[in-house]
Amino acid sequence: MADRKLKEVLSRAAAQLKKAGVDSPALSAQLFAEKVFDLNRVQLIIELESSVDSEKLAEFEALVKRRASGEPAAYILGVKEFYGFEFKVGPGVLIPRPETEEIVEKVQQLFRADDKFLFADFGTGSGILAVTVAKLFPESQVVAVDLSASALTIARENALLHHVAERVQFVRADFNEPLLADAKFDLILANPPYLCEAELEDISSEVAEFEPVSALVSGPAGDEDIKGSAPRIAAALKKGGTVFMEIGYLQGQKAYEIFDSCAAFEGCVAIHKDLSGHDRIVVAKKR
């Protein structure tokens, strides 16, 4: 078999992925090539006319085949960028979304980089919020909570990867149950499941078939975890403490009512929109 040029390999892979109907086929092909052929983005362009090693080509084609089946590129690669940092991900955790980065921006507006504060991350998953905030605020301490043992394993790996493990305490627990109820936290971050069961049928097969349903679906109504966690958050926050919680884009009014009905937050609740103009973050301050 004649030597295959990298340019041809990428073109064929992109065409195969496009035919399979996956998102961003050309980008997926490039990312797999960077991983398998050990190239950065600039080198990938420079080496387009170079011949591809047959063993490496087989490895590359295996990744393309997995992607063509619908498996998310982040799971295949084992990493995903969040807020400019690279995080390990796997089938046991949700793939980080750009919308969640806006919670980090809210924290940066609330605290100075050298502030000392204690915060909790409810539903930490891969640890993106806990680790990113701990990294950006080197004087902070965090308690990261998740019910999934596999998620906490990945979160611990990310804390080690970003050199913040000594400031992160991991707790396996249901944050809808009584937990951390001694009013000691300055800040609580939360990204709970917020899809209703019916919405699972409408989302892409990549998400529904590969990402953990328990981290996506809250229950029949979709707001069960918001209702369950609001009083727990109120109990765990110090007076004057703040919560930032990500919600579904149709849940703004309902989430507002849930938090405002807690005496600790009454009159101190707002719903912030994401860059697309959708309701996305509940902000509530404990009175």
Side-chain angles (χ1 to χ4, degrees), residues 66 71-79 89-95 206 210-212:
R66 288 171 63 185
E71 185 176 355
Y75 286 169
I76 297 171
L77 295 167
V79 295
V89 295
V93 297
L94 291 183
I95 297 170
E206 284 189 26
F210 290 93
E211 299 196 50

Side-chain angles (χ1 to χ4, degrees), residues 25-43:
L27 177 60
S28 290
Q30 292 167 6
L31 291 172
F32 298 152
E34 289 172 17
K35 178 180 176 66
V36 172
F37 304 125
D38 193 24
L39 301 170
N40 61 36
R41 188 58 53 88
V42 174
Q43 291 171 328

